[in-house]
């Protein structure tokens, strides 16, 4: 149903010297004084609603809600949003392409035209997230790791290459090119689209929560579940609550020796404390001129860690300079500036600023930021460098928790003696065994990357070394980094300390640390040591970085080098030496730390536009290993039943044209009973497959050797592996086990303790539903669609939690799982629930009788009942529930539209 756009009267022409750029929907032409006071981020939602208004999917009333944002946002009204494009990376791209292929099959089976299943908006798919650090301290690490990746993932890569041919409107960036977010920033980000002569702002939803990095470029973008992204690809508007916007005013400039990473960890802690879940954060103020685009991108990248939907930096002169630096043409930059100025979406700090309305405000003087790191288990647990030693000793003392390891006083000084390649060695609590310059957060930022290289240079010149058993690695976000490190002449010093480039992609931050030396691993396990990892990443949740590093600290790249040299996190950098130099003198932190001016000079002389142009011209040509991959032709995929990487999932197997309708829950068993902060890593780990797990059993039964297990992330295209990997994190704490740590649960009726998968399958075979009890922030962390798909395949019908992380809640909805919230002040403990009860949730069988956010009664078999809030937040989400899931809804709608 396509109706004429009611706003066609404000379609204007954007002129340029000697012609026109194109046509655009002019916000000033609405002559509405409320628009000038809107935050810039809300204007992007407004323009999208106006441009896509058809009085069917997007209505005039939706446009009015956005214009009246100041009054309507506090009422939590629902709006539709159609992003300009969708961004996938291969870990989430594979299941998305699997689902598209399955949807084509289902469409075919239901008598529809399968070729209608095509992305309707541009899809950029970047194959990253695929560098296991097998080879680290070696000059040829990049090539060696790349060859191993192609051996392991050939089938997955070939499947994506098939998808790039089978589906229209899909650009696939080959493996080895860089981290998706950095490629997005340096190359894919359009800022302004020109599609068939129609101009509009770039906006993007991506299947990784750190899609928000692009907000540093003035492109509105955030992470969504793979399920939501697939619907957006297929032309469905995303249903969202019109967000509040927190204004964050910056002033002053960073002091000497303070890095962008120190700033972002400070901002993260401030915003977590303020409470910004589900909100936009918009940065402004005179301090903006002191922040490079890369610094802005670093702050924007960490939005999931402070809980915001996005941290947005409107386009200004700094943005335009960066676009030129990264090789965008003069005409493109001219179009971007002209369009945004014409639509009053450009910030010019040389002009008087119109005061904007924000839901709430925060302020930070950049001069107040001091050097810091975060950890040992959460990104917002910031510790200043001067307090780090005391904080570390407190963590050893404290009871087990986010800031505690409960190591008895008499054991804290334990020294583990071992032999490393024939040389006597020692390990203590807090000793660093992994030091990784990794992750999209920092590896796009020349100031911290070249800062790390300057630290390495000073350390090498003074004769400092990194202990040989510390696993050091450097994984840049794109090939540009290699070019400027070489140009500066500093890469050799990083190499000398063991920070060789291991590949271009996500490594340690996503759990792709690879193995640590067996002698080191034995020393840790046999002596029950709390070993440490220091990484320049954005995630340090338990069990994520490496199973044997219980303490994981986020730090700037130069600090990663400093901690690698010190060899321990239990050091006071102000008073204790990092080591002894070649002349026997003690070397201190201040001796190796570069000034901001030193860093700025190297950045200015080493980071050049030609580097970006050359890198991205090479990307479009692919690489020999990618180009040699042979793939089948045809628009329907030929599934291989023997494949352990790509498998046809069961979501659509029994699908009919009639929606199944809403379902309640009757006498369900509790599969797991959780406390607070259960992350998507706990629910669906991305890292290594444990040798004793159900997933390992499945692979071995199919002849897969243990050394070829690869990771859960790499096997996301196989539902059989991923269902078995659901709740398989080795650090998971399930209250049904009485405090025991590990991926098991109790089969309530027999009392048997088995793996979560085995218990779930037993309940399924017995014909019983299951539910999950949880605390606050259930599903925080990465936007991982398997954290919702996995529970669906295990037979989970509802999750009852104190609160949900935004993306995970919408993913549960997309898979037809009921999200319920305990009432404020209540949870399983206050209600006296143990998880041994059976649970019934009564819902009407007609979707028209259910309202978003209504109260629902949950009854147990022991006579207790309590009221919860139903977290279907919009009418559209209820429609998805009625259809059994978002993809089923899309298929039925497409067939109805065709007929």
């Amino acid at each position: 149903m396509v109706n004429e756009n009611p706003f066609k009267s404000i379609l204007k022409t954007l002129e340029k010297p000697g012609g026109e750029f194109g046509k655009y929907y002019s916000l000033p032409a609405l002559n509405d004084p409320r628009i000038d006071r809107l935050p810039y981020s809300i204007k992007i939602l407004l323009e999208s609603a106006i441009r896509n208004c058809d009085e069917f999917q997007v209505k005039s009333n939706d446009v009015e809600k956005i214009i009246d944002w100041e009054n309507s946002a506090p009422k939590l009204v629902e709006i539709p949003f159609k992003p300009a494009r969708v961004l996938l990376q291969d870990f989430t791209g594979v299941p998305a392409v699997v689902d598209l292929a399955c949807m084509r099959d289902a469409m075919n089976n239901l008598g529809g035209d399968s070729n209608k299943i095509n992305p309707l908006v541009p899809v950029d798919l970047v194959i990253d997230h695929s560098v296991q650090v097998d080879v680290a301290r070696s000059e040829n690490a990049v090539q060696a790791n790349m060859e191993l990746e192609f051996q392991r993932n050939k089938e997955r890569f070939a499947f994506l290459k098939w998808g790039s041919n089978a589906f229209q409107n899909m650009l696939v960036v080959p493996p080895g090119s860089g981290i998706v977010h950095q490629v997005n920033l340096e190359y894919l980000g359009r800022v302004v689209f020109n599609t068939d002569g129609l101009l509009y702002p770039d906006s993007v939803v991506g299947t990784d929560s750190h899609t928000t990095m692009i907000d540093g470029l003035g492109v509105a973008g955030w992470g969504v579940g793979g399920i939501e992204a697939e619907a957006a690809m297929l032309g469905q508007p995303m249903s969202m609550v019109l967000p509040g916007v927190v204004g964050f005013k910056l002033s002053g400039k960073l002091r000497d020796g303070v890095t962008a990473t120190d700033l972002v960890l400070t901002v993260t802690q401030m915003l977590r404390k303020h409470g910004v879940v589900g909100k936009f954060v918009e940065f402004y103020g005179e301090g903006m001129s002191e922040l490079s685009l890369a610094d802005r991108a670093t702050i924007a990248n960490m939005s999931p860690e402070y809980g915001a939907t996005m941290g947005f930096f409107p386009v200004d002169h700094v943005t335009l300079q960066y676009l030129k630096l990264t090789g965008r043409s003069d005409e493109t930059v001219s179009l971007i500036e002209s369009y945004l100025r014409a639509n009053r979406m450009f910030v010019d700090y040389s002009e008087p600023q119109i005061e904007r309305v924000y839901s709430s405000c925060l302020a930070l003087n950049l001069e107040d930021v001091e050097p810091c790191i975060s950890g040992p288990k959460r990104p917002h647990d910031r510790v200043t460098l001067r307090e780090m030693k005391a904080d570390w000793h407190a963590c050893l003392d404290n009871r087990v928790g986010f800031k505690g390891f409960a190591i008895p006083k008499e054991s804290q000084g334990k020294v583990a003696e071992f032999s490393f390649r024939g040389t006597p060695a020692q390990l203590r609590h807090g000793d660093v065994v992994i030091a990784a310059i990794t992750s999209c957060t920092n590896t796009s930022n020349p100031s911290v990357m070249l800062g790390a290289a300057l630290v390495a240079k000073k350390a090498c010149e003074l004769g400092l070394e990194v202990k040989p058993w510390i696993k050091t690695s450097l994984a840049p976000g794109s090939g540009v980094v290699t070019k400027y490190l070489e140009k500066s002449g500093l890469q050799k010093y990083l190499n000398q300390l063991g920070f060789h480039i291991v590949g271009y992609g996500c490594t340690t931050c996503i759990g792709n640390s690879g193995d640590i030396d067996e002698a080191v691993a034995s020393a840790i396990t046999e002596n029950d040591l709390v070993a440490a990892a220091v990484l320049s990443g954005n995630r340090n949740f338990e069990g994520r970085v490496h199973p044997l590093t219980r303490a994981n600290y986020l730090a700037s790249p130069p600090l990663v080098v400093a901690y690698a040299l010190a060899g321990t996190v239990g050091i006071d950098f102000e008073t204790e030496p990092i080591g002894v130099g070649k002349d026997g003198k003690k070397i201190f932190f201040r001796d190796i730390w570069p000034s901001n001016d030193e860093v700025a000079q190297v950045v200015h002389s080493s980071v050049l536009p030609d580097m970006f142009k050359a890198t991205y011209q090479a990307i479009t040509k692919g690489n020999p290993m990618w180009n040699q991959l042979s793939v089948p032709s045809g628009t329907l995929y030929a599934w291989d039943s023997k494949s352990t990487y790509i498998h046809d999932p069961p979501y659509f197997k029994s699908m009919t044209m009639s929606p199944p309708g809403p379902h309640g829950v009757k006498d369900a068993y509790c599969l797991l009973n959780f406390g607070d902060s259960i992350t998507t890593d706990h629910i669906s780990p991305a890292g290594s497959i444990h040798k004793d797990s159900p997933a390992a059993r499945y692979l071995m039964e199919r002849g897969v050797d243990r050394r070829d297990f690869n990771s859960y992330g790499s096997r996301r295209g196989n539902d059989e592996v991923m269902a078995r990997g659901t709740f398989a994190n080795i650090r998971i704490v399930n209250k049904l086990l009485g405090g025991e740590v590990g991926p098991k649960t109790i089969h309530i009726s027999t009392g048997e303790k088995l793996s979560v998968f085995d218990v779930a399958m037993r309940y399924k075979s017995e014909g019983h539903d299951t539910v999950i009890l949880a605390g606050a922030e259930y599903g925080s962390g990465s936007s991982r669609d398997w954290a919702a798909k996995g529970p669906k395949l295990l037979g989970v019908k509802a999750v009852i939690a104190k609160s949900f992380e935004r993306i995970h809640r919408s993913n549960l909805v997309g898979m037809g799982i009921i999200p319920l919230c305990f009432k404020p002040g209540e949870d399983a403990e206050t209600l006296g629930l143990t998880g041994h009860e059976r649970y019934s949730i009564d819902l009407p069988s007609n979707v028209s009788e259910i309202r978003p956010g209504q109260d629902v009664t949950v009854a147990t078999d022991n006579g207790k009942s309590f009221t919860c809030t139903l977290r279907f937040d919009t009418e559209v989400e209820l429609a998805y529930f009625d259809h059994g899931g978002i993809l089923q809804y899309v298929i039925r709608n497409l067939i109805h539209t065709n007929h």
Side-chain angles (χ1 to χ4, degrees), residues 498-515:
F499 287 94
H500 293 277
I501 293 177
V502 294
Y504 302 95
C506 299
T507 56
T508 307
C509 194
I510 190 70
N512 284 350
S513 313
D515 293 332

Side-chain angles (χ1 to χ4, degrees), residues 324-338:
K324 287 178 180 170
L325 170 68
T326 49
R328 273 79 162 197
S329 71
D330 288 346
E331 182 170 10
T332 298
V333 176
S334 172
L335 161 68
I336 288 167
E337 183 177 3
S338 301

Side-chain angles (χ1 to χ4, degrees), residues 723-784:
R724 286 163 175 79
T726 304
F727 302 111
N729 187 307
I730 59 168
R731 297 264 172 237
I732 209 161
V733 178
N734 169 18
K735 292 180 188 176
L736 291 176
L737 297 180
E740 183 186 329
V741 178
K744 297 200 167 174
T745 195
I746 302 293
H747 182 252
I748 303 291
S749 51
T750 63
E752 284 180 83
K753 183 172 76 175
L754 301 163
S755 74
V756 177
F757 176 78
D758 289 338
V759 171
M761 290 305 102
R762 191 176 290 188
Y763 283 137
K764 259 189 146 180
S765 68
E766 294 163 353
H768 298 307
D769 289 347
T770 53
V771 298
I772 288 168
L773 298 179
E777 295 177 356
Y778 182 75
S780 56
S782 307
S783 55
R784 199 161 289 169

Side-chain angles (χ1 to χ4, degrees), residues 34-54:
R34 293 172 296 176
I35 293 175
D36 276 341
R37 288 166 52 80
L38 290 177
Y40 288 96
S41 47
I42 297 299
K43 284 188 174 186
I44 292 177
L45 301 183
L46 174 61
E47 190 283 338
S48 171
I50 288 171
R51 176 168 36 88
N52 289 296
C53 190
D54 59 359

Side-chain angles (χ1 to χ4, degrees), residues 210 297 472 726 869:
H210 294 102
T472 44
T726 304
T869 303

Side-chain angles (χ1 to χ4, degrees), residues 149-462:
E149 286 310 316
F150 265 85
Q151 285 168 27
R152 288 187 185 115
N153 301 307
K154 187 176 178 184
E155 195 178 338
R156 201 169 96 235
F157 293 166
F159 176 68
L160 292 174
K161 195 171 176 184
W162 167 82
S164 70
N165 298 327
F167 296 103
Q168 296 160 14
N169 231 2
M170 189 183 282
L171 166 74
V172 175
V173 176
S177 307
I179 297 173
V180 56
H181 312 305
Q182 191 157 348
V183 174
N184 194 20
L185 194 71
E186 294 174 353
Y187 177 61
L188 296 171
R190 280 72 154 182
V191 187
V192 172
F193 264 89
N194 183 351
T195 303
D196 301 327
L198 183 65
L199 309 175
Y200 52 96
D202 187 3
S203 57
V204 59
V205 293
T207 53
D208 185 277
S209 43
H210 294 102
T211 301
T212 53
M213 187 167 177
I214 198 67
D215 303 328
L217 195 68
V219 174
W222 59 87
V224 294
I227 303 151
E228 241 181 318
E230 289 164 34
M233 282 157 50
L234 295 162
Q236 291 300 306
M238 287 174 46
S239 179
M240 63 186 283
V241 172
L242 186 60
V245 182
V246 177
F248 199 118
K249 187 173 186 177
L250 297 168
S251 60
K253 70 182 284 188
L254 294 174
R255 285 178 295 148
D256 204 37
V258 177
T259 67
T261 317
D262 302 323
L263 169 61
V264 76
L265 294 176
T266 305
V267 168
T268 297
Q269 188 183 42
M270 284 176 70
L271 287 167
R272 249 310 156 186
K273 188 176 174 190
H274 185 73
V276 292
V277 171
K279 296 186 172 76
F280 290 175
V281 176
E282 186 164 295
F283 293 88
Y284 70 102
E286 64 272 23
M288 291 280 278
S289 61
E290 296 296 332
L291 287 187
S292 71
L293 198 291
D295 291 352
R296 297 173 182 194
T298 306
I299 295 169
N301 178 292
M302 289 284 272
S303 299
E305 281 65 49
Y306 42 84
T309 303
M310 66 175 180
F312 188 74
F313 290 82
V315 175
D316 61 12
H317 287 104
V318 173
T319 324
L320 301 180
Q321 285 162 7
Y322 180 82
L323 290 168
K324 287 178 180 170
L325 170 68
T326 49
R328 273 79 162 197
S329 71
D330 288 346
E331 182 170 10
T332 298
V333 176
S334 172
L335 161 68
I336 288 167
E337 183 177 3
S338 301
Y339 168 79
L340 293 174
R341 281 187 184 276
N343 235 352
R344 292 188 197 157
M345 292 166 135
F346 184 86
V347 187
D348 191 332
Y349 287 104
S350 67
E351 297 173 354
Q353 299 298 301
I354 294 171
E355 194 157 321
R356 288 174 199 280
V357 181
Y358 293 110
S359 311
S360 62
C361 289
L362 281 172
L364 174 66
N365 186 333
L366 298 176
E367 285 163 24
D368 295 338
V369 178
E370 58 180 311
C372 55
I373 63 178
S374 275
K377 302 180 188 184
R378 294 192 302 188
H380 51 283
D381 290 334
R382 185 177 71 94
V383 191
T384 59
L385 228 47
R386 58 189 166 78
E387 295 169 329
M388 180 56 198
K389 186 172 183 178
D391 191 83
W392 168 249
H393 285 293
C395 286
L396 288 177
D397 290 334
N398 294 346
R399 63 189 179 87
V400 174
F402 295 121
K403 292 290 287 183
F405 298 102
I407 303 297
K409 271 272 189 270
E410 64 274 12
S411 305
Q412 289 182 12
K414 179 190 277 190
V415 179
E417 308 273 355
F418 69 104
S419 173
F420 182 78
R421 296 175 189 165
T423 308
Q426 294 180 334
L427 273 182
R428 295 173 175 79
H429 290 296
D431 276 5
V432 176
V433 295
I434 290 176
I437 299 175
T438 176
S439 126
C440 46
T441 314
N442 289 291
T443 62
S444 66
N445 193 326
S447 65
V448 290
M449 294 301 279
L450 287 163
L454 284 169
V455 169
K457 177 177 188 278
K458 289 171 187 277
C460 289
E461 287 170 348
L462 291 166

